Amino acid sequence: QVQLVESGGGVVQPGRSLRLSCAAYGFTFSNYGMHWVRQAPGKGLEWVAIIWHDGNNKYYTDSVKGRFIISRDNSKNTLSLQMNSLRAEDTAVYYCARGLYQGVVTSYDYWGQGTLVTVSS
Amino acid sequence: QSVLTQPPSVSGAPGQRVTISCTESSSNVGATYGVHWYQQLPGTAPKLLIYDNSNRPSGVPDRFSGSKSGTSASLAITGLQPEDEADYYCQSYDSSLSGSVFGGGTKLTVL
């Protein structure tokens, strides 16, 4: 069955970097666009980034542009999020999610369990 | 910029029907994008309930239904059960952002 497993979260100081990973199982990873969605403690959901199935297109929400980089390795069925220059407002549970359709106009049919990133000095 | 507005909370007794609204305030008037709904049980990841306004993924009970008219969408839950107590989010696409937007979420309490 489809499974997404995130890892890499933790506590990091403001201005530092962290890299999240998402391992995909149970489907042909290279056929699907993949997304990161985050949820600050006690808050709602916020879409962060998308990468196309072939890695050729990427989009980001404005607040992370220039700081976060989404990437994927289709040979290893792995999605990544490199987070640089972290800020306190980046503190959240980060979910990887599979796009039901290709591209940005889509819903998310499978989600990982999430990994918590805490940015604090 | 598109904003999806949901009521912060709704409630109902077991067996009753509740609806959750999702209203789009957008500069994209005239553009039509599907609205999707997610259920998030406490301490868990969101789960897709309804996609493209009114379609249920396999395994979602038919007690859950969605509709959309103009810039307003709704999620209806009939035969309310205690296990339906959760947060519910609507989601759509905003072309001005080139990305997804979520509503603020609605907490459903089963009395």
Side-chain angles (χ1 to χ4, degrees), chain A residues 37 39 43-47 59 95 100-101 104-109 111-112, chain B residues 33 36 38 40 44-46 48 51-52 89 91 93 98-100 102 104:
Chain A
V37 177
Q39 186 171 34
K43 302 297 185 182
L45 300 168
E46 180 187 24
W47 172 79
Y59 288 107
Y95 296 100
L100 180 63
Y101 305 127
V104 291
V105 185
T106 185
S107 56
Y108 311 113
D109 59 352
W111 298 64
Chain B
Y33 299 109
H36 323 291
Y38 301 86
Q40 187 175 33
T44 70
L48 181 63
Y51 66 95
D52 294 349
Y89 294 90
Q91 175 243 326
Y93 173 74
S98 295
S100 285
F102 288 91

PDB file of all heavy atoms in Angstrom, chain A residues 37 39 43-47 59 95 100-101 104-109 111-112, chain B residues 33 36 38 40 44-46 48 51-52 89 91 93 98-100 102 104:
ATOM      1  N   VAL A  37       3.731  20.185   2.764  1.00  0.00           N
ATOM      2  CA  VAL A  37       2.713  20.985   3.421  1.00  0.00           C
ATOM      3  C   VAL A  37       3.089  21.045   4.896  1.00  0.00           C
ATOM      4  O   VAL A  37       3.510  20.032   5.466  1.00  0.00           O
ATOM      5  CB  VAL A  37       1.308  20.359   3.266  1.00  0.00           C
ATOM      6  CG1 VAL A  37       0.258  21.179   4.019  1.00  0.00           C
ATOM      7  CG2 VAL A  37       0.937  20.236   1.790  1.00  0.00           C
ATOM      8  N   GLN A  39       2.329  22.579   9.070  1.00  0.00           N
ATOM      9  CA  GLN A  39       1.298  22.969  10.029  1.00  0.00           C
ATOM     10  C   GLN A  39       1.976  23.435  11.306  1.00  0.00           C
ATOM     11  O   GLN A  39       2.560  22.624  12.039  1.00  0.00           O
ATOM     12  CB  GLN A  39       0.363  21.799  10.318  1.00  0.00           C
ATOM     13  CG  GLN A  39      -0.819  22.139  11.188  1.00  0.00           C
ATOM     14  CD  GLN A  39      -1.815  20.993  11.255  1.00  0.00           C
ATOM     15  OE1 GLN A  39      -1.463  19.816  11.227  1.00  0.00           O
ATOM     16  NE2 GLN A  39      -3.093  21.327  11.344  1.00  0.00           N
ATOM     17  N   LYS A  43      -2.112  25.424  14.585  1.00  0.00           N
ATOM     18  CA  LYS A  43      -2.577  26.238  13.451  1.00  0.00           C
ATOM     19  C   LYS A  43      -3.058  25.360  12.299  1.00  0.00           C
ATOM     20  O   LYS A  43      -3.082  24.134  12.383  1.00  0.00           O
ATOM     21  CB  LYS A  43      -1.444  27.159  12.967  1.00  0.00           C
ATOM     22  CG  LYS A  43      -0.909  28.085  14.043  1.00  0.00           C
ATOM     23  CD  LYS A  43      -1.964  29.058  14.532  1.00  0.00           C
ATOM     24  CE  LYS A  43      -1.375  30.044  15.525  1.00  0.00           C
ATOM     25  NZ  LYS A  43      -2.412  30.986  16.046  1.00  0.00           N
ATOM     26  N   GLY A  44      -3.417  26.017  11.186  1.00  0.00           N
ATOM     27  CA  GLY A  44      -3.918  25.306  10.027  1.00  0.00           C
ATOM     28  C   GLY A  44      -2.809  24.850   9.094  1.00  0.00           C
ATOM     29  O   GLY A  44      -1.620  24.986   9.374  1.00  0.00           O
ATOM     30  N   LEU A  45      -3.239  24.312   7.962  1.00  0.00           N
ATOM     31  CA  LEU A  45      -2.314  23.767   6.979  1.00  0.00           C
ATOM     32  C   LEU A  45      -1.835  24.854   6.024  1.00  0.00           C
ATOM     33  O   LEU A  45      -2.590  25.762   5.655  1.00  0.00           O
ATOM     34  CB  LEU A  45      -3.022  22.661   6.176  1.00  0.00           C
ATOM     35  CG  LEU A  45      -3.529  21.481   7.003  1.00  0.00           C
ATOM     36  CD1 LEU A  45      -4.451  20.603   6.161  1.00  0.00           C
ATOM     37  CD2 LEU A  45      -2.371  20.668   7.548  1.00  0.00           C
ATOM     38  N   GLU A  46      -0.575  24.750   5.613  1.00  0.00           N
ATOM     39  CA  GLU A  46       0.013  25.694   4.666  1.00  0.00           C
ATOM     40  C   GLU A  46       0.829  24.926   3.641  1.00  0.00           C
ATOM     41  O   GLU A  46       1.767  24.218   3.990  1.00  0.00           O
ATOM     42  CB  GLU A  46       0.901  26.712   5.386  1.00  0.00           C
ATOM     43  CG  GLU A  46       1.541  27.718   4.433  1.00  0.00           C
ATOM     44  CD  GLU A  46       2.551  28.636   5.104  1.00  0.00           C
ATOM     45  OE1 GLU A  46       3.114  28.252   6.149  1.00  0.00           O
ATOM     46  OE2 GLU A  46       2.786  29.721   4.568  1.00  0.00           O
ATOM     47  N   TRP A  47       0.473  25.084   2.376  1.00  0.00           N
ATOM     48  CA  TRP A  47       1.254  24.474   1.303  1.00  0.00           C
ATOM     49  C   TRP A  47       2.614  25.156   1.221  1.00  0.00           C
ATOM     50  O   TRP A  47       2.704  26.388   1.319  1.00  0.00           O
ATOM     51  CB  TRP A  47       0.507  24.611  -0.012  1.00  0.00           C
ATOM     52  CG  TRP A  47       1.304  24.198  -1.205  1.00  0.00           C
ATOM     53  CD1 TRP A  47       1.533  22.927  -1.642  1.00  0.00           C
ATOM     54  CD2 TRP A  47       1.994  25.056  -2.111  1.00  0.00           C
ATOM     55  NE1 TRP A  47       2.321  22.939  -2.774  1.00  0.00           N
ATOM     56  CE2 TRP A  47       2.613  24.242  -3.083  1.00  0.00           C
ATOM     57  CE3 TRP A  47       2.149  26.439  -2.208  1.00  0.00           C
ATOM     58  CZ2 TRP A  47       3.375  24.760  -4.121  1.00  0.00           C
ATOM     59  CZ3 TRP A  47       2.894  26.966  -3.250  1.00  0.00           C
ATOM     60  CH2 TRP A  47       3.508  26.121  -4.184  1.00  0.00           C
ATOM     61  N   TYR A  59       7.742  24.885  -7.549  1.00  0.00           N
ATOM     62  CA  TYR A  59       7.156  26.137  -7.096  1.00  0.00           C
ATOM     63  C   TYR A  59       7.157  26.161  -5.576  1.00  0.00           C
ATOM     64  O   TYR A  59       7.084  25.117  -4.933  1.00  0.00           O
ATOM     65  CB  TYR A  59       5.716  26.288  -7.608  1.00  0.00           C
ATOM     66  CG  TYR A  59       5.610  26.567  -9.081  1.00  0.00           C
ATOM     67  CD1 TYR A  59       5.160  25.579  -9.957  1.00  0.00           C
ATOM     68  CD2 TYR A  59       5.944  27.805  -9.614  1.00  0.00           C
ATOM     69  CE1 TYR A  59       5.050  25.826 -11.312  1.00  0.00           C
ATOM     70  CE2 TYR A  59       5.838  28.059 -10.969  1.00  0.00           C
ATOM     71  CZ  TYR A  59       5.389  27.067 -11.806  1.00  0.00           C
ATOM     72  OH  TYR A  59       5.295  27.311 -13.148  1.00  0.00           O
ATOM     73  N   TYR A  95       4.707  17.855   6.417  1.00  0.00           N
ATOM     74  CA  TYR A  95       4.169  16.651   5.792  1.00  0.00           C
ATOM     75  C   TYR A  95       4.602  16.593   4.333  1.00  0.00           C
ATOM     76  O   TYR A  95       4.557  17.613   3.638  1.00  0.00           O
ATOM     77  CB  TYR A  95       2.646  16.673   5.803  1.00  0.00           C
ATOM     78  CG  TYR A  95       1.991  16.644   7.160  1.00  0.00           C
ATOM     79  CD1 TYR A  95       1.509  17.814   7.735  1.00  0.00           C
ATOM     80  CD2 TYR A  95       1.819  15.445   7.853  1.00  0.00           C
ATOM     81  CE1 TYR A  95       0.872  17.791   8.974  1.00  0.00           C
ATOM     82  CE2 TYR A  95       1.183  15.414   9.088  1.00  0.00           C
ATOM     83  CZ  TYR A  95       0.722  16.593   9.637  1.00  0.00           C
ATOM     84  OH  TYR A  95       0.096  16.561  10.857  1.00  0.00           O
ATOM     85  N   LEU A 100      -2.680  14.174  -6.370  1.00  0.00           N
ATOM     86  CA  LEU A 100      -3.569  13.270  -7.100  1.00  0.00           C
ATOM     87  C   LEU A 100      -3.359  13.425  -8.604  1.00  0.00           C
ATOM     88  O   LEU A 100      -3.378  12.448  -9.366  1.00  0.00           O
ATOM     89  CB  LEU A 100      -5.018  13.555  -6.729  1.00  0.00           C
ATOM     90  CG  LEU A 100      -6.092  12.699  -7.394  1.00  0.00           C
ATOM     91  CD1 LEU A 100      -5.931  11.240  -6.996  1.00  0.00           C
ATOM     92  CD2 LEU A 100      -7.478  13.196  -7.017  1.00  0.00           C
ATOM     93  N   TYR A 101      -3.158  14.677  -9.021  1.00  0.00           N
ATOM     94  CA  TYR A 101      -2.910  14.986 -10.426  1.00  0.00           C
ATOM     95  C   TYR A 101      -1.513  15.580 -10.579  1.00  0.00           C
ATOM     96  O   TYR A 101      -0.924  16.074  -9.617  1.00  0.00           O
ATOM     97  CB  TYR A 101      -3.926  15.993 -10.956  1.00  0.00           C
ATOM     98  CG  TYR A 101      -5.370  15.604 -10.788  1.00  0.00           C
ATOM     99  CD1 TYR A 101      -6.275  16.473 -10.172  1.00  0.00           C
ATOM    100  CD2 TYR A 101      -5.847  14.382 -11.260  1.00  0.00           C
ATOM    101  CE1 TYR A 101      -7.605  16.130 -10.029  1.00  0.00           C
ATOM    102  CE2 TYR A 101      -7.179  14.035 -11.112  1.00  0.00           C
ATOM    103  CZ  TYR A 101      -8.051  14.909 -10.498  1.00  0.00           C
ATOM    104  OH  TYR A 101      -9.380  14.571 -10.353  1.00  0.00           O
ATOM    105  N   VAL A 104       0.259  21.774 -10.226  1.00  0.00           N
ATOM    106  CA  VAL A 104      -0.105  22.471  -8.991  1.00  0.00           C
ATOM    107  C   VAL A 104      -1.605  22.440  -8.710  1.00  0.00           C
ATOM    108  O   VAL A 104      -2.029  22.651  -7.577  1.00  0.00           O
ATOM    109  CB  VAL A 104       0.382  23.933  -9.014  1.00  0.00           C
ATOM    110  CG1 VAL A 104       1.892  23.996  -8.937  1.00  0.00           C
ATOM    111  CG2 VAL A 104      -0.126  24.655 -10.244  1.00  0.00           C
ATOM    112  N   VAL A 105      -2.418  22.209  -9.731  1.00  0.00           N
ATOM    113  CA  VAL A 105      -3.868  22.195  -9.534  1.00  0.00           C
ATOM    114  C   VAL A 105      -4.282  20.772  -9.173  1.00  0.00           C
ATOM    115  O   VAL A 105      -4.586  19.947 -10.042  1.00  0.00           O
ATOM    116  CB  VAL A 105      -4.625  22.683 -10.782  1.00  0.00           C
ATOM    117  CG1 VAL A 105      -6.123  22.777 -10.478  1.00  0.00           C
ATOM    118  CG2 VAL A 105      -4.099  24.050 -11.221  1.00  0.00           C
ATOM    119  N   THR A 106      -4.260  20.477  -7.902  1.00  0.00           N
ATOM    120  CA  THR A 106      -4.457  19.104  -7.457  1.00  0.00           C
ATOM    121  C   THR A 106      -4.862  19.064  -6.007  1.00  0.00           C
ATOM    122  O   THR A 106      -4.698  20.030  -5.265  1.00  0.00           O
ATOM    123  CB  THR A 106      -3.174  18.289  -7.660  1.00  0.00           C
ATOM    124  OG1 THR A 106      -3.412  16.907  -7.321  1.00  0.00           O
ATOM    125  CG2 THR A 106      -2.043  18.801  -6.756  1.00  0.00           C
ATOM    126  N   SER A 107      -5.400  17.937  -5.605  1.00  0.00           N
ATOM    127  CA  SER A 107      -5.555  17.609  -4.202  1.00  0.00           C
ATOM    128  C   SER A 107      -4.419  16.668  -3.810  1.00  0.00           C
ATOM    129  O   SER A 107      -3.580  16.301  -4.649  1.00  0.00           O
ATOM    130  CB  SER A 107      -6.911  16.955  -3.962  1.00  0.00           C
ATOM    131  OG  SER A 107      -7.059  15.823  -4.801  1.00  0.00           O
ATOM    132  N   TYR A 108      -4.408  16.260  -2.544  1.00  0.00           N
ATOM    133  CA  TYR A 108      -3.324  15.420  -2.030  1.00  0.00           C
ATOM    134  C   TYR A 108      -3.943  14.130  -1.488  1.00  0.00           C
ATOM    135  O   TYR A 108      -4.653  14.159  -0.476  1.00  0.00           O
ATOM    136  CB  TYR A 108      -2.556  16.163  -0.935  1.00  0.00           C
ATOM    137  CG  TYR A 108      -2.185  17.556  -1.373  1.00  0.00           C
ATOM    138  CD1 TYR A 108      -2.738  18.669  -0.778  1.00  0.00           C
ATOM    139  CD2 TYR A 108      -1.297  17.746  -2.433  1.00  0.00           C
ATOM    140  CE1 TYR A 108      -2.422  19.939  -1.189  1.00  0.00           C
ATOM    141  CE2 TYR A 108      -0.978  19.019  -2.866  1.00  0.00           C
ATOM    142  CZ  TYR A 108      -1.543  20.113  -2.243  1.00  0.00           C
ATOM    143  OH  TYR A 108      -1.224  21.372  -2.684  1.00  0.00           O
ATOM    144  N   ASP A 109      -3.671  13.026  -2.161  1.00  0.00           N
ATOM    145  CA  ASP A 109      -4.398  11.810  -1.810  1.00  0.00           C
ATOM    146  C   ASP A 109      -3.699  10.945  -0.769  1.00  0.00           C
ATOM    147  O   ASP A 109      -4.343  10.085  -0.168  1.00  0.00           O
ATOM    148  CB  ASP A 109      -4.740  10.997  -3.064  1.00  0.00           C
ATOM    149  CG  ASP A 109      -3.530  10.574  -3.878  1.00  0.00           C
ATOM    150  OD1 ASP A 109      -2.401  11.031  -3.581  1.00  0.00           O
ATOM    151  OD2 ASP A 109      -3.729   9.778  -4.823  1.00  0.00           O
ATOM    152  N   TRP A 111      -0.678  11.229   2.507  1.00  0.00           N
ATOM    153  CA  TRP A 111       0.171  12.070   3.344  1.00  0.00           C
ATOM    154  C   TRP A 111       1.073  11.193   4.209  1.00  0.00           C
ATOM    155  O   TRP A 111       0.677  10.103   4.621  1.00  0.00           O
ATOM    156  CB  TRP A 111      -0.697  12.928   4.269  1.00  0.00           C
ATOM    157  CG  TRP A 111      -1.625  13.877   3.580  1.00  0.00           C
ATOM    158  CD1 TRP A 111      -2.674  13.572   2.752  1.00  0.00           C
ATOM    159  CD2 TRP A 111      -1.625  15.302   3.695  1.00  0.00           C
ATOM    160  NE1 TRP A 111      -3.312  14.714   2.336  1.00  0.00           N
ATOM    161  CE2 TRP A 111      -2.681  15.794   2.912  1.00  0.00           C
ATOM    162  CE3 TRP A 111      -0.833  16.218   4.393  1.00  0.00           C
ATOM    163  CZ2 TRP A 111      -2.968  17.158   2.791  1.00  0.00           C
ATOM    164  CZ3 TRP A 111      -1.111  17.564   4.294  1.00  0.00           C
ATOM    165  CH2 TRP A 111      -2.173  18.023   3.498  1.00  0.00           C
ATOM    166  N   GLY A 112       2.241  11.718   4.513  1.00  0.00           N
ATOM    167  CA  GLY A 112       3.073  11.076   5.502  1.00  0.00           C
ATOM    168  C   GLY A 112       2.581  11.399   6.905  1.00  0.00           C
ATOM    169  O   GLY A 112       1.604  12.133   7.083  1.00  0.00           O
TER     170      GLY A 112
ATOM    171  N   TYR B  33     -11.665  26.498 -10.068  1.00  0.00           N
ATOM    172  CA  TYR B  33     -10.808  25.416  -9.607  1.00  0.00           C
ATOM    173  C   TYR B  33     -11.573  24.563  -8.618  1.00  0.00           C
ATOM    174  O   TYR B  33     -12.447  25.050  -7.908  1.00  0.00           O
ATOM    175  CB  TYR B  33      -9.543  25.967  -8.955  1.00  0.00           C
ATOM    176  CG  TYR B  33      -8.705  26.804  -9.889  1.00  0.00           C
ATOM    177  CD1 TYR B  33      -8.617  28.182  -9.738  1.00  0.00           C
ATOM    178  CD2 TYR B  33      -7.992  26.210 -10.935  1.00  0.00           C
ATOM    179  CE1 TYR B  33      -7.853  28.952 -10.592  1.00  0.00           C
ATOM    180  CE2 TYR B  33      -7.235  26.976 -11.803  1.00  0.00           C
ATOM    181  CZ  TYR B  33      -7.166  28.340 -11.625  1.00  0.00           C
ATOM    182  OH  TYR B  33      -6.411  29.110 -12.477  1.00  0.00           O
ATOM    183  N   HIS B  36     -11.305  20.842  -2.475  1.00  0.00           N
ATOM    184  CA  HIS B  36     -11.057  19.538  -1.879  1.00  0.00           C
ATOM    185  C   HIS B  36     -11.192  19.658  -0.358  1.00  0.00           C
ATOM    186  O   HIS B  36     -10.970  20.736   0.207  1.00  0.00           O
ATOM    187  CB  HIS B  36      -9.657  19.044  -2.253  1.00  0.00           C
ATOM    188  CG  HIS B  36      -9.256  19.404  -3.648  1.00  0.00           C
ATOM    189  ND1 HIS B  36      -9.854  18.844  -4.766  1.00  0.00           N
ATOM    190  CD2 HIS B  36      -8.339  20.298  -4.107  1.00  0.00           C
ATOM    191  CE1 HIS B  36      -9.315  19.371  -5.847  1.00  0.00           C
ATOM    192  NE2 HIS B  36      -8.390  20.261  -5.481  1.00  0.00           N
ATOM    193  N   TYR B  38     -10.419  17.816   3.589  1.00  0.00           N
ATOM    194  CA  TYR B  38      -9.588  16.902   4.362  1.00  0.00           C
ATOM    195  C   TYR B  38     -10.113  16.809   5.789  1.00  0.00           C
ATOM    196  O   TYR B  38     -10.606  17.796   6.341  1.00  0.00           O
ATOM    197  CB  TYR B  38      -8.125  17.373   4.412  1.00  0.00           C
ATOM    198  CG  TYR B  38      -7.512  17.506   3.043  1.00  0.00           C
ATOM    199  CD1 TYR B  38      -7.657  18.680   2.315  1.00  0.00           C
ATOM    200  CD2 TYR B  38      -6.827  16.445   2.453  1.00  0.00           C
ATOM    201  CE1 TYR B  38      -7.124  18.806   1.047  1.00  0.00           C
ATOM    202  CE2 TYR B  38      -6.293  16.562   1.183  1.00  0.00           C
ATOM    203  CZ  TYR B  38      -6.455  17.744   0.484  1.00  0.00           C
ATOM    204  OH  TYR B  38      -5.937  17.865  -0.778  1.00  0.00           O
ATOM    205  N   GLN B  40      -8.802  15.868   9.611  1.00  0.00           N
ATOM    206  CA  GLN B  40      -7.609  15.654  10.422  1.00  0.00           C
ATOM    207  C   GLN B  40      -8.030  15.285  11.845  1.00  0.00           C
ATOM    208  O   GLN B  40      -8.478  16.141  12.611  1.00  0.00           O
ATOM    209  CB  GLN B  40      -6.702  16.880  10.437  1.00  0.00           C
ATOM    210  CG  GLN B  40      -5.367  16.620  11.132  1.00  0.00           C
ATOM    211  CD  GLN B  40      -4.402  17.793  11.045  1.00  0.00           C
ATOM    212  OE1 GLN B  40      -4.806  18.946  11.035  1.00  0.00           O
ATOM    213  NE2 GLN B  40      -3.102  17.497  10.983  1.00  0.00           N
ATOM    214  N   THR B  44      -3.005  13.331  14.101  1.00  0.00           N
ATOM    215  CA  THR B  44      -2.730  12.541  12.898  1.00  0.00           C
ATOM    216  C   THR B  44      -2.596  13.441  11.681  1.00  0.00           C
ATOM    217  O   THR B  44      -2.882  14.636  11.730  1.00  0.00           O
ATOM    218  CB  THR B  44      -3.836  11.515  12.636  1.00  0.00           C
ATOM    219  OG1 THR B  44      -5.029  12.196  12.235  1.00  0.00           O
ATOM    220  CG2 THR B  44      -4.121  10.669  13.880  1.00  0.00           C
ATOM    221  N   ALA B  45      -2.151  12.848  10.580  1.00  0.00           N
ATOM    222  CA  ALA B  45      -2.031  13.584   9.327  1.00  0.00           C
ATOM    223  C   ALA B  45      -3.403  13.786   8.693  1.00  0.00           C
ATOM    224  O   ALA B  45      -4.337  13.017   8.951  1.00  0.00           O
ATOM    225  CB  ALA B  45      -1.133  12.811   8.365  1.00  0.00           C
ATOM    226  N   PRO B  46      -3.548  14.805   7.874  1.00  0.00           N
ATOM    227  CA  PRO B  46      -4.816  14.982   7.145  1.00  0.00           C
ATOM    228  C   PRO B  46      -5.111  13.788   6.228  1.00  0.00           C
ATOM    229  O   PRO B  46      -4.193  13.115   5.764  1.00  0.00           O
ATOM    230  CB  PRO B  46      -4.565  16.260   6.325  1.00  0.00           C
ATOM    231  CG  PRO B  46      -3.473  16.967   7.047  1.00  0.00           C
ATOM    232  CD  PRO B  46      -2.606  15.883   7.606  1.00  0.00           C
ATOM    233  N   LEU B  48      -7.612  12.793   2.813  1.00  0.00           N
ATOM    234  CA  LEU B  48      -8.473  13.316   1.759  1.00  0.00           C
ATOM    235  C   LEU B  48      -9.873  12.721   1.880  1.00  0.00           C
ATOM    236  O   LEU B  48     -10.041  11.510   1.865  1.00  0.00           O
ATOM    237  CB  LEU B  48      -7.873  12.997   0.387  1.00  0.00           C
ATOM    238  CG  LEU B  48      -8.638  13.494  -0.836  1.00  0.00           C
ATOM    239  CD1 LEU B  48      -8.710  15.015  -0.862  1.00  0.00           C
ATOM    240  CD2 LEU B  48      -8.006  12.961  -2.124  1.00  0.00           C
ATOM    241  N   TYR B  51     -12.584  15.206  -3.243  1.00  0.00           N
ATOM    242  CA  TYR B  51     -11.752  15.919  -4.203  1.00  0.00           C
ATOM    243  C   TYR B  51     -12.606  16.408  -5.372  1.00  0.00           C
ATOM    244  O   TYR B  51     -13.671  15.838  -5.664  1.00  0.00           O
ATOM    245  CB  TYR B  51     -10.577  15.057  -4.685  1.00  0.00           C
ATOM    246  CG  TYR B  51     -10.951  13.843  -5.498  1.00  0.00           C
ATOM    247  CD1 TYR B  51     -10.960  13.883  -6.889  1.00  0.00           C
ATOM    248  CD2 TYR B  51     -11.296  12.641  -4.872  1.00  0.00           C
ATOM    249  CE1 TYR B  51     -11.290  12.761  -7.626  1.00  0.00           C
ATOM    250  CE2 TYR B  51     -11.635  11.524  -5.607  1.00  0.00           C
ATOM    251  CZ  TYR B  51     -11.636  11.585  -6.973  1.00  0.00           C
ATOM    252  OH  TYR B  51     -11.960  10.458  -7.708  1.00  0.00           O
ATOM    253  N   ASP B  52     -12.144  17.457  -5.992  1.00  0.00           N
ATOM    254  CA  ASP B  52     -12.859  18.055  -7.132  1.00  0.00           C
ATOM    255  C   ASP B  52     -14.328  18.299  -6.792  1.00  0.00           C
ATOM    256  O   ASP B  52     -15.226  17.886  -7.525  1.00  0.00           O
ATOM    257  CB  ASP B  52     -12.738  17.152  -8.365  1.00  0.00           C
ATOM    258  CG  ASP B  52     -11.318  17.055  -8.873  1.00  0.00           C
ATOM    259  OD1 ASP B  52     -10.468  17.840  -8.410  1.00  0.00           O
ATOM    260  OD2 ASP B  52     -11.041  16.177  -9.714  1.00  0.00           O
ATOM    261  N   TYR B  89     -10.592  20.722   6.740  1.00  0.00           N
ATOM    262  CA  TYR B  89      -9.984  21.785   5.948  1.00  0.00           C
ATOM    263  C   TYR B  89     -10.444  21.701   4.495  1.00  0.00           C
ATOM    264  O   TYR B  89     -10.485  20.615   3.917  1.00  0.00           O
ATOM    265  CB  TYR B  89      -8.463  21.677   5.966  1.00  0.00           C
ATOM    266  CG  TYR B  89      -7.825  21.924   7.313  1.00  0.00           C
ATOM    267  CD1 TYR B  89      -7.603  20.887   8.203  1.00  0.00           C
ATOM    268  CD2 TYR B  89      -7.448  23.213   7.684  1.00  0.00           C
ATOM    269  CE1 TYR B  89      -7.008  21.112   9.439  1.00  0.00           C
ATOM    270  CE2 TYR B  89      -6.848  23.446   8.919  1.00  0.00           C
ATOM    271  CZ  TYR B  89      -6.639  22.396   9.788  1.00  0.00           C
ATOM    272  OH  TYR B  89      -6.053  22.633  11.011  1.00  0.00           O
ATOM    273  N   GLN B  91      -9.480  23.093   0.562  1.00  0.00           N
ATOM    274  CA  GLN B  91      -8.255  23.442  -0.159  1.00  0.00           C
ATOM    275  C   GLN B  91      -8.594  23.664  -1.625  1.00  0.00           C
ATOM    276  O   GLN B  91      -9.460  22.982  -2.187  1.00  0.00           O
ATOM    277  CB  GLN B  91      -7.231  22.314  -0.028  1.00  0.00           C
ATOM    278  CG  GLN B  91      -5.945  22.506  -0.833  1.00  0.00           C
ATOM    279  CD  GLN B  91      -5.744  21.451  -1.900  1.00  0.00           C
ATOM    280  OE1 GLN B  91      -6.122  20.293  -1.729  1.00  0.00           O
ATOM    281  NE2 GLN B  91      -5.168  21.839  -3.022  1.00  0.00           N
ATOM    282  N   TYR B  93      -6.827  25.919  -5.411  1.00  0.00           N
ATOM    283  CA  TYR B  93      -5.643  26.465  -6.066  1.00  0.00           C
ATOM    284  C   TYR B  93      -5.815  27.956  -6.281  1.00  0.00           C
ATOM    285  O   TYR B  93      -6.925  28.429  -6.571  1.00  0.00           O
ATOM    286  CB  TYR B  93      -5.435  25.770  -7.418  1.00  0.00           C
ATOM    287  CG  TYR B  93      -4.327  26.378  -8.256  1.00  0.00           C
ATOM    288  CD1 TYR B  93      -2.997  26.159  -7.923  1.00  0.00           C
ATOM    289  CD2 TYR B  93      -4.630  27.169  -9.357  1.00  0.00           C
ATOM    290  CE1 TYR B  93      -1.983  26.724  -8.685  1.00  0.00           C
ATOM    291  CE2 TYR B  93      -3.625  27.725 -10.118  1.00  0.00           C
ATOM    292  CZ  TYR B  93      -2.298  27.507  -9.783  1.00  0.00           C
ATOM    293  OH  TYR B  93      -1.295  28.074 -10.529  1.00  0.00           O
ATOM    294  N   SER B  98       0.351  30.702  -7.642  1.00  0.00           N
ATOM    295  CA  SER B  98       0.864  29.487  -8.298  1.00  0.00           C
ATOM    296  C   SER B  98       1.007  28.359  -7.300  1.00  0.00           C
ATOM    297  O   SER B  98       1.970  27.573  -7.352  1.00  0.00           O
ATOM    298  CB  SER B  98       2.214  29.758  -8.979  1.00  0.00           C
ATOM    299  OG  SER B  98       2.081  30.679 -10.030  1.00  0.00           O
ATOM    300  N   GLY B  99       0.030  28.280  -6.407  1.00  0.00           N
ATOM    301  CA  GLY B  99       0.088  27.221  -5.406  1.00  0.00           C
ATOM    302  C   GLY B  99      -1.238  27.017  -4.722  1.00  0.00           C
ATOM    303  O   GLY B  99      -2.215  27.702  -5.002  1.00  0.00           O
ATOM    304  N   SER B 100      -1.260  26.048  -3.846  1.00  0.00           N
ATOM    305  CA  SER B 100      -2.475  25.706  -3.126  1.00  0.00           C
ATOM    306  C   SER B 100      -2.742  26.659  -1.980  1.00  0.00           C
ATOM    307  O   SER B 100      -1.815  27.254  -1.415  1.00  0.00           O
ATOM    308  CB  SER B 100      -2.370  24.292  -2.547  1.00  0.00           C
ATOM    309  OG  SER B 100      -2.519  23.317  -3.536  1.00  0.00           O
ATOM    310  N   PHE B 102      -5.272  26.723   1.658  1.00  0.00           N
ATOM    311  CA  PHE B 102      -6.148  25.992   2.561  1.00  0.00           C
ATOM    312  C   PHE B 102      -7.023  26.983   3.322  1.00  0.00           C
ATOM    313  O   PHE B 102      -6.599  28.111   3.622  1.00  0.00           O
ATOM    314  CB  PHE B 102      -5.336  25.192   3.585  1.00  0.00           C
ATOM    315  CG  PHE B 102      -4.641  23.983   3.022  1.00  0.00           C
ATOM    316  CD1 PHE B 102      -3.348  24.082   2.528  1.00  0.00           C
ATOM    317  CD2 PHE B 102      -5.268  22.747   3.005  1.00  0.00           C
ATOM    318  CE1 PHE B 102      -2.699  22.967   2.016  1.00  0.00           C
ATOM    319  CE2 PHE B 102      -4.628  21.628   2.498  1.00  0.00           C
ATOM    320  CZ  PHE B 102      -3.347  21.736   1.998  1.00  0.00           C
ATOM    321  N   GLY B 104      -8.935  28.010   6.878  1.00  0.00           N
ATOM    322  CA  GLY B 104      -8.386  28.048   8.219  1.00  0.00           C
ATOM    323  C   GLY B 104      -8.724  26.838   9.082  1.00  0.00           C
ATOM    324  O   GLY B 104      -8.155  26.664  10.158  1.00  0.00           O
TER     325      GLY B 104
END
